[in-house]
Amino acid sequence: MKVENTSYRTIWLSTTNDRIVRIINQLALPHRFETVDLRSVEDACFAIEQMQVRGAGLIGATAGFGIYLASLQAGNKTFDQDLIRFAEKLKSTRPTASNLAWAVDRMLDKLSSCENPDQKRETAKAEAQRIADEDAEFCRKIGRHGKKIIAEASTQKGGDTIHILTHCNAGWLAFVDYGSATAPIYAAHDSGIEVHVWVDETRPRNQGASLTCWELGQHGVPHTLVTDNLGGHLMQRGLVDMVLVGTDRTTANGDVANKIGTYLKALAAKDNNVPFYVALPSSTFDFTIRDGIKDIPIEERSPDEVTLVSGLSSSNGEWASVRHCPPQTKAKNWGFDVTPARLVDKLICERGICDASEEGILGLFPERKKSEL
Ligand code: MRU
């Protein structure tokens, strides 16, 4: 996607030194656009843990490149043991997004058939790049499929603006390119369909305010930032035509884990007959589980994210962090919640659109029928 008219992906191999992986530092957005070099698997772990990179697809792509960096660090004699150790370290960085373990396992599986460390290193580089390319391509296809839903809604409204509510950032910043929830929006906008996006600010990390607003703005998509609690009110007044969100892990029967607060949006959507869509590449499915509430590990993050609010000071323009509760106040901070499949109208995947049910998902991914279920 474009940043000030230059095309970027969120992660790429340096063109001058292929031992360096480059990322956009999302902690600096929306105030500064900067890139960071990852030179080791430790750098990759740090980037995921500290959320320089975040979002299901991008976490997966970073894990893929992380294994490539690990392969460069692994000793010739201890290659396999070293790699397993690095892989465990990567996997432990963030628990909820299934793309992380999926990418690490895919890399290890690919390397297992190589004969020697040098061949493994070459293969790791190629496979990490393949994961990144595939993520971008899958998101592009999600855009193509999802655009049809928006186009239909627009026709039904006689060409009037389609108002889409989204939560968190499931944009191109959360993937390698295009995004999941945003891909249909960009595709619709680019083809001349009038769209407007209600962006939930998404406390506590404010990915909606700082990232989704930034990337929609860069692409010229009309949008309005709203507080997390406004969605129900907007829906009651007929101001939302659809909710479109991403997901960090989706079970075999269509339960969807996404940023905390998504479930409440789905409840409000159901109560107001507003369609609730979830966009995801196949790497976000976890075909080994069927009960999202019981089986999806939910990341618990630092209470400081709740008790402190940070941003640019309105008085001096400097970065500031302020406490907005009494110093002794305790806080809890689960990062994700699970929306049961019954509240999801459709899943939008790279292969097409399906019901959020086991039958619907297997209809698109028939090869999964016997493997994990
Ligand atoms: O904690 P994050 O920022 O990594 O959370 C991921 C998200 O942005 C979402 O929940 C998103 O909607 C799905 S990930 C594509």
Side-chain angles (χ1 to χ4, degrees), residues 23-65:
I23 56 167
I24 295 172
N25 179 11
Q26 301 195 15
L27 296 176
L29 292 172
H31 307 297
R32 260 190 349 263
F33 181 81
E34 65 179 37
T35 60
V36 165
D37 288 351
L38 310 181
R39 294 167 187 269
S40 65
V41 66
E42 287 80 12
D43 287 351
C45 289
F46 179 86
I48 298 173
E49 233 157 30
Q50 298 302 312
M51 294 175 71
Q52 288 177 327
V53 293
R54 23 72 46 211
L58 179 55
I59 290 173
T62 308
F65 280 116

Side-chain angles (χ1 to χ4, degrees), residues 175-191:
F175 289 86
V176 174
D177 211 346
Y178 303 102
S180 58
T182 54
I185 298 172
Y186 290 133
H189 171 81
D190 291 350
S191 69

